[in-house]
Amino acid sequence: MLENIFDTHAHYTEESFDDDRDELITAIHKNGVKYIMLSVSDIEDTKKALSISRNYPFVYSAAGVHPECVGNIPSDYIQQIEKIIVENKDKIKAIGEIGLDYHYEDYDASLMKEVFTNQLILAQKTDLPVIIHSRDATKDTLDILRNHTPKKGVVHCFSGSAQTARELVEMGLHISFTGVITFKNARKALEALEVIPLDRLMLETDCPFMAPVPYRGKRCDSSMITEIAKKAAEIKGISPQEMLDVTCKTAMKFFDIKE
């Protein structure tokens, strides 16, 4: 059995887990999943994720506003997020996921940029790493990160080019991959994975989404990260267990989690 799994990006607040959330999280922990980081979409989701994390010593949470949710945030969102962080330092270990998403029509790029920037500034103030979401917005994401480079940051669910990966690594950032690298059309992501130093690499499921092969179409959970590790290990020329060991150690240091 593969062990030392750190799922650095999961969404166990999603409704698809409502019927068996506790049973599932308990079971996967007994079967190799060592740590889980909950990423969130807005302030209410942050509160829900924090509540879930309080039930398990191995589950931690981020806080923040996803770019798709910027249209529904209160004017004092930064103050609210900061208050949650300050009052829950033992469980809130990152700000995220934050960033830009130009995928759907009618997005407000200006507002997304403002909210992204404000949360990057908050990360500096609170000394927390950031979990970055970027979809169809590479240029603007890179521009903002150059001007507000976080002390620690990870670009999650990476599917960009090898050149973009190199630029992010040069900024000092980490890069995380999902089950996308197991898909047939994953050539671009795999080329990026090749150029990323092993110590800048993290693994995630983004569950319940993005289930890897051979689970495509099913609800994803953190145990499925083994398939992602196998593919990443193949590209890097190491064993799946070594891939999990290295990425777990990297994530623990990144999120400041002690044994």
Side-chain angles (χ1 to χ4, degrees):
M1 181 185 79
L2 293 173
E3 55 186 8
N4 262 359
I5 293 168
F6 195 138
D7 187 352
T8 62
H9 195 110
H11 293 278
Y12 284 108
T13 58
E14 287 289 316
E15 289 182 5
S16 59
F17 292 115
D18 284 353
D19 291 338
D20 64 346
R21 183 178 293 108
D22 183 61
E23 293 88 347
L24 176 63
I25 293 175
T26 300
I28 60 178
H29 181 57
K30 292 177 180 177
N31 288 284
V33 177
K34 189 172 184 179
Y35 294 109
I36 298 169
M37 172 59 61
L38 302 179
S39 192
V40 301
S41 58
D42 57 25
I43 292 171
E44 287 307 308
D45 198 40
T46 298
K47 293 175 181 177
K48 185 174 180 179
L50 177 61
S51 177
I52 291 171
S53 74
R54 288 263 170 232
N55 294 326
Y56 313 94
F58 56 92
V59 178
Y60 295 88
S61 179
V65 177
H66 187 288
E68 289 181 13
C69 299
V70 297
N72 299 310
I73 52 175
S75 59
D76 64 342
Y77 69 97
I78 288 295
Q79 290 81 3
Q80 287 195 42
I81 295 169
E82 183 175 7
K83 185 174 187 290
I84 293 171
I85 291 168
V86 170
E87 293 177 351
N88 299 279
K89 289 184 177 180
D90 61 323
K91 280 294 184 179
I92 301 291
K93 294 294 184 175
I95 293 178
E97 62 194 277
I98 64 175
L100 305 175
D101 193 318
Y102 298 168
H103 185 69
Y104 298 107
E105 294 181 3
D106 300 324
Y107 60 85
D108 188 336
S110 178
L111 182 57
M112 282 186 188
K113 291 177 186 179
E114 177 186 332
V115 174
F116 184 23
T117 300
N118 287 342
Q119 290 181 103
L120 286 169
I121 293 169
L122 179 62
Q124 294 280 7
K125 180 179 179 181
T126 56
D127 198 28
L128 285 177
V130 292
I131 300 167
I132 299 161
H133 173 106
S134 179
R135 183 160 60 161
D136 298 340
T138 299
K139 182 184 182 301
D140 285 352
T141 299
L142 289 173
D143 286 345
I144 290 173
L145 290 174
R146 289 188 193 103
N147 290 322
H148 299 277
T149 307
K151 293 179 182 178
K152 289 195 291 185
V154 58
V155 178
H156 104 97
C157 193
F158 190 78
S159 60
S161 68
Q163 179 56 38
T164 299
R166 288 191 185 97
E167 289 188 51
L168 292 167
V169 168
E170 287 173 5
M171 287 185 201
L173 301 180
H174 290 66
I175 297 177
S176 180
F177 290 90
T178 63
V180 166
I181 63 171
T182 69
F183 299 173
K184 287 182 179 179
N185 62 349
R187 180 186 57 82
K188 189 176 175 184
L190 293 176
E191 288 174 352
L193 175 57
E194 283 190 56
V195 306
I196 299 167
L198 193 55
D199 64 354
R200 295 292 188 84
L201 181 63
M202 291 196 277
L203 303 179
E204 60 169 291
T205 59
D206 202 15
C207 68
F209 317 107
M210 315 292 286
V213 174
Y215 304 106
R216 287 200 73 176
K218 296 182 180 180
R219 183 188 69 174
C220 187
D221 68 64
S222 299
S223 68
M224 296 179 189
I225 214 167
T226 55
E227 300 303 321
I228 304 167
K230 289 174 185 175
K231 188 63 179 182
E234 176 189 323
I235 297 300
K236 289 299 188 182
I238 60 177
S239 72
Q241 188 57 64
E242 185 177 357
M243 175 60 67
L244 289 169
D245 291 342
V246 170
T247 52
C248 182
K249 183 178 180 181
T250 297
M252 288 177 67
K253 181 178 179 181
F254 182 87
F255 292 115
D256 192 26
I257 293 172
K258 307 295 192 296
E259 288 275 11

